[in-house]
Amino acid sequence: MEPSSPRKPHLSSLPLDSENKATEFHPFSTSPPHMLAFHLAWLSLFSCFFSTFSIPPLIPIMRQNLNLSAADVGAAGTAAFFGSIFSRLAMGPVCDLVGPRIASAALSLITAPIVLATAFISSPTSFILVRFLIGFCLANFVANQFWMSSLFSTSVVGLANGFAAGWANMGAGVAQLTMPLLYSFVKSFNVPENTAWRVIFVVPATFQAITAIMVLIYGQELPCKESIKVSNKPKENFLRLLFNGLMNYRGWILGLIYGCCFGVEMTMDNIVAQYFYYRFGVNLQVAGTIAACFGLTNWFARPMGGVVSDQMAKLFGVRGRLWGLWAVLTVAGLLCVLMGRANSVGGSIGVMCMFSVFVQAASGLTFGIVPFVSKRSLGVISGMTGSGGTVGAVVTQMLLFSGDKFSTQTSISVMGLMMIICTLPISLIYFPQGGGMFCTPSETSIDEEDYSLLV
């Protein structure tokens, strides 16, 4: 991939490998280019999650003002996820071609005005359309993970991916917490209810635009641009990159698995505030605070998944990464079943918090495997896996949380059973050099060219 910026690269203060990727990860450092890019990547994606999930905690109020039916609310939730399916698929190849910095910033700047347009919706149709279009910004997740895989060595890439996505995913929890508080604050000035919720959408829109500009100004895609210039390899063909990725069956399985962890997480972000508001009768602010607890565990849970993935790899190789993913996702499914069967507020909150830790850690473990699937088509594989997350959210939203076929608590338990069943295909993932869950490696060495094209 050709560099998209001619700026002189920064010298890193971190130890580097032969590809100038950092072999250590210090999340509280801001040294360029590696750690500065890390903070820009997670903050930009954080703003996208904040924008996407700024609407759900206000739905009880918006539902009255816009005359939304239960079907409208369900359709809007599904639409929000539909929007990110195609954008995530496209984002992978775009990152391969132009780099994650430009791809991420451009998408954020394009979708920020749509976030602001939420203030002007006046009908169920416009509500659904806006949620669909805002969902496109979640494709920045693919750029986020691609960026980290480009900057950090295999020994810490799971950790870097986990922290970058985990801290970013907190945007959903922060939105659940702050949007009801902002609404109450604006309303305290005797602003009409129908105006108060509209005014506050200037906050997520502005935040998203500012972070995009910061990425453009301060970000750097590659650890050392000079090392790229001396390469004699020809520039990759877009269709070949796409074909190589789509033909790799591991990408499809990881997409399914990611749909059962991150997809479930997004579904919960979409329904959890309403669940506690309607089932247990708590007020809007309390429901938002409870929902925030689910999202805010990303601060440590998803990074913890990356740590577990890297540690399992040190002990057992890629087989350890696969077994770790299966175990953590299975426990998450069991806790999801239990949450739907809890009949008290306290019990539901306790199980929800444990469930959130395991389901978010499973997401970190999934992307601890992605960088090893294909070097050449990393962006495509990242896009396939990321899109699988939103497909999973769409499927669970449509099957279980749209309409009145099931009670919400029953749907949550059924969702947990689906997660447990969908862990089984992990056993089919096999790497010639690393093996699989039940198989030992068949090759001790493999040419880098073959590894890049691994199918």
Side-chain angles (χ1 to χ4, degrees):
M1 183 181 67
E2 292 291 334
S4 57
S5 171
R7 291 173 302 169
K8 184 178 180 180
H10 296 283
L11 297 176
S12 178
S13 61
L14 299 175
L16 307 177
D17 64 10
S18 60
E19 296 179 305
N20 290 309
K21 294 183 178 182
T23 58
E24 294 181 5
F25 179 79
H26 304 298
F28 300 106
S29 168
T30 58
S31 62
H34 300 80
M35 298 317 304
L36 179 59
F38 159 73
H39 288 291
L40 291 171
W42 80 257
L43 190 60
S44 178
L45 183 58
F46 179 100
S47 71
C48 294
F49 273 99
F50 188 94
S51 295
T52 301
F53 293 100
S54 60
I55 292 177
L58 299 176
I59 282 179
I61 304 301
M62 299 172 72
R63 191 170 178 176
Q64 300 172 14
N65 296 153
L66 300 174
N67 297 316
L68 302 175
S69 65
D72 293 329
V73 173
T78 303
F81 301 142
F82 255 121
S84 63
I85 292 176
F86 305 107
S87 59
R88 285 190 177 206
L89 278 172
M91 181 62 87
V94 170
C95 286
D96 280 320
L97 293 173
V98 305
R101 180 178 66 92
I102 290 179
S104 170
L107 184 59
S108 287
L109 290 173
I110 290 170
T111 52
I114 301 172
V115 178
L116 185 60
T118 307
F120 304 102
I121 58 178
S122 58
S123 67
T125 301
S126 58
F127 175 70
I128 294 171
L129 178 61
V130 164
R131 290 221 68 189
F132 170 73
L133 294 174
I134 291 176
F136 277 72
C137 73
L138 290 181
N140 267 337
F141 168 79
V142 177
N144 173 288
Q145 298 292 274
F146 184 100
W147 206 349
M148 295 304 97
S149 298
S150 300
L151 291 173
F152 293 93
S153 176
T154 56
S155 61
V156 293
V157 69
L159 181 62
N161 278 338
F163 267 97
W167 285 7
N169 287 8
M170 287 195 302
V174 173
Q176 301 272 13
L177 178 65
T178 59
M179 292 303 282
L181 296 176
L182 286 172
Y183 166 76
S184 298
F185 175 73
V186 173
K187 197 179 175 189
S188 68
F189 292 96
N190 296 320
V191 176
E193 182 180 271
N194 191 39
T195 302
W197 66 261
R198 297 175 185 274
V199 169
I200 61 177
F201 279 96
V202 70
V203 175
T206 303
F207 182 34
Q208 185 172 310
I210 290 173
T211 57
I213 293 170
M214 290 172 61
V215 166
L216 279 176
I217 295 175
Y218 300 108
Q220 179 177 310
E221 285 100 338
L222 297 167
C224 183
K225 292 180 170 55
E226 278 86 351
S227 63
I228 303 300
K229 292 179 181 178
V230 299
S231 174
N232 293 319
K233 292 183 179 180
K235 186 176 181 179
E236 293 289 357
N237 178 271
F238 171 80
L239 291 179
R240 191 180 181 194
L241 285 172
L242 183 62
F243 179 77
N244 289 337
L246 293 177
M247 288 297 294
N248 196 312
Y249 79 93
R250 300 167 190 83
W252 293 101
I253 294 178
L254 289 173
L256 171 65
I257 299 304
Y258 201 57
C260 295
C261 48
F262 183 69
V264 166
E265 179 188 343
M266 285 208 297
T267 300
M268 289 297 295
D269 284 330
N270 221 23
I271 61 98
V272 69
Q274 301 167 64
Y275 173 63
F276 281 96
Y277 181 85
Y278 289 114
R279 187 179 182 197
F280 297 109
V282 300
N283 63 40
L284 190 68
Q285 286 73 31
V286 172
T289 301
I290 295 171
C293 293
F294 183 87
L296 290 175
T297 54
N298 267 298
W299 187 82
F300 68 90
R302 183 155 181 158
M304 183 177 68
V307 172
V308 170
S309 183
D310 288 341
Q311 291 300 314
M312 291 291 285
K314 290 179 180 178
L315 295 173
F316 307 107
V318 73
R319 301 178 70 188
R321 293 185 190 269
L322 295 171
W323 274 105
L325 174 58
W326 175 83
V328 171
L329 188 54
T330 299
V331 174
L334 292 171
L335 289 169
C336 187
V337 173
L338 185 59
M339 179 181 170
R341 300 181 65 84
N343 294 316
S344 65
V345 178
S348 288
I349 293 173
V351 176
M352 180 198 73
C353 289
M354 290 189 291
F355 167 50
S356 68
V357 170
F358 279 87
V359 76
Q360 291 159 11
S363 294
L365 280 150
T366 303
F367 267 86
I369 298 169
V370 166
F372 302 95
V373 175
S374 173
K375 286 184 178 180
R376 176 166 294 174
S377 297
L378 174 60
V380 178
I381 298 298
S382 297
M384 291 166 62
T385 307
S387 294
T390 47
V391 170
V394 168
V395 170
T396 54
Q397 186 80 34
M398 291 181 66
L399 290 181
L400 302 175
F401 299 99
S402 295
D404 302 316
K405 288 187 294 184
F406 305 106
S407 65
T408 304
Q409 54 266 38
T410 298
S411 295
I412 290 174
S413 290
V414 173
M415 185 167 64
L417 292 174
M418 290 171 57
M419 293 171 64
I420 295 170
I421 294 171
C422 288
T423 61
L424 298 179
I426 299 176
S427 63
L428 301 177
I429 297 177
Y430 178 78
F431 294 93
Q433 270 191 299
M437 286 180 65
F438 301 104
C439 304
T440 57
S442 61
E443 299 182 21
T444 56
S445 64
I446 187 169
D447 183 78
E448 184 174 343
E449 178 75 5
D450 293 334
Y451 177 76
S452 297
L453 299 172
L454 198 59
V455 295

